[in-house]
Amino acid sequence: MRCTELATSDRKGHLLLVEDERNFARYLQLELANEGYEIDLAYSGTTGLQEALEKDFDLILLDVMLPGLSGTEVCRRIREVSEVPIIMLSARSEVPDKVAGLDSGANDYLTKPFAIEELFARIRVLLRKTQDVETDEIKIDTLTIQPHARRVFRGQEEISLTPREFELLLFLANHLEQALSREQLLSAVWGFDFMGNTNVVDVYIRYLRNKIESGDAKKLIHTVRGIGYTIRA
Ligand code: CA
């Protein structure tokens, strides 16, 4: 029980482990859970592939010799649709196996038996690489802003914003949890020369709220009485 609690409270990443040797799979699951990872298990190539395609994992650990589909085949099929980091685990140390694994699109390859610390290190490296690619992104709760691509997502769903709405959201997001006055927002987003009324800020905040906080989505843009607005998770 302790492992599950740790995994959810201090979550470093959601991993899928595809491994048919159940005792070994459970051992790895416990060790990884203690490290703060959340682990889903699959005991065959077929269920592993199904899980991999259905859920959004941060990394996949894939045994090579599996019932159903081989690890290499599972890897190849995942690669047709996803760039999720994959580490292949194999009991065999032959070079052709390793080449086949990497050819099928795996990012790394580990030969059993391996030291658990070695596995942790490889996982950390791959997760860090993925994060580096995404450092461009701003995340607030389930809201994701990609400043360079000028794209915005709430959860998986992309939200279409006008250029002005986007600038307003980006300015708020770049000043996370800061109370911003209407005048500040106006000059930052509309420019100092803007002659209109600060009411335009309220109007655009309403547009933004309608778009990024629609349905049951948690409220992120908050009104700061007597000042203006702030964004926070
Ligand atoms: Ca196996």
Side-chain angles (χ1 to χ4, degrees):
M1 287 309 284
R2 194 171 152 263
C3 298
T4 331
E5 279 164 27
L6 260 177
T8 44
S9 64
D10 183 24
R11 219 184 74 123
K12 286 183 184 171
H14 190 188
L15 275 50
L16 172 66
L17 170 61
V18 190
E19 167 64 74
D20 59 315
E21 290 158 59
R22 291 182 183 232
N23 286 338
F24 183 60
R26 287 199 195 102
Y27 157 75
L28 283 184
Q29 184 183 34
L30 278 173
E31 291 289 340
L32 288 162
N34 274 323
E35 279 293 294
Y37 298 104
E38 187 185 337
I39 321 292
D40 284 13
L41 290 181
Y43 298 119
S44 76
T46 335
T47 53
L49 179 64
Q50 202 178 341
E51 287 274 304
L53 299 181
E54 277 172 10
K55 295 182 196 166
D56 191 17
F57 292 101
D58 297 306
L59 187 142
I60 296 174
L61 299 169
L62 193 54
D63 184 29
V64 173
M65 297 292 284
L66 288 167
L69 292 167
S70 76
T72 321
E73 185 56 26
V74 172
C75 184
R76 195 173 290 124
R77 296 213 198 164
I78 292 172
R79 272 294 168 266
E80 287 172 4
V81 293
S82 162
E83 287 303 311
V84 62
I86 297 174
I87 301 177
M88 304 282 278
L89 309 174
S90 173
R92 297 178 298 182
S93 57
E94 284 93 27
V95 175
D97 237 23
K98 184 165 183 168
V99 171
L102 296 174
D103 269 354
S104 66
N107 301 75
D108 205 348
Y109 196 99
L110 213 48
T111 306
K112 293 184 234 174
F114 48 79
I116 195 74
E117 290 299 332
E118 172 76 15
L119 178 64
F120 293 161
R122 306 271 188 114
I123 290 173
R124 281 197 299 271
V125 167
L126 283 176
L127 289 181
R128 209 176 299 137
K129 272 190 199 157
T130 332
Q131 279 159 5
D132 285 348
V133 176
E134 291 169 358
T135 44
D136 186 31
E137 293 187 345
I138 302 169
K139 284 186 185 286
I140 304 164
D141 187 61
T142 56
L143 180 75
T144 307
I145 306 167
Q146 299 176 341
H148 288 92
R150 298 183 72 89
R151 297 174 79 183
V152 176
F153 299 83
R154 190 78 203 249
Q156 301 296 317
E157 197 188 339
E158 184 160 10
I159 296 164
S160 166
L161 298 181
T162 65
R164 194 77 82 187
E165 289 165 352
F166 183 85
E167 289 302 325
L168 179 59
L169 178 64
L170 187 60
F171 189 77
L172 284 163
N174 280 331
H175 299 81
L176 191 68
E177 295 188 14
Q178 291 177 35
L180 300 166
S181 69
R182 288 177 178 79
E183 288 74 17
Q184 268 179 298
L185 292 168
L186 198 61
S187 57
V189 178
W190 280 265
F192 288 100
D193 297 336
F194 185 76
M195 297 299 285
N197 191 292
T198 54
N199 284 346
V200 71
V201 175
D202 303 306
V203 171
Y204 271 81
I205 288 285
R206 195 163 67 238
Y207 291 159
L208 264 185
R209 280 176 166 158
N210 286 340
K211 290 188 177 179
I212 69 167
E213 299 174 350
S214 68
D216 292 327
K218 190 175 161 191
K219 299 228 175 305
L220 301 176
I221 300 174
H222 303 268
T223 305
V224 183
R225 280 209 166 188
I227 310 239
Y229 299 96
T230 187
I231 196 164
R232 64 170 181 268

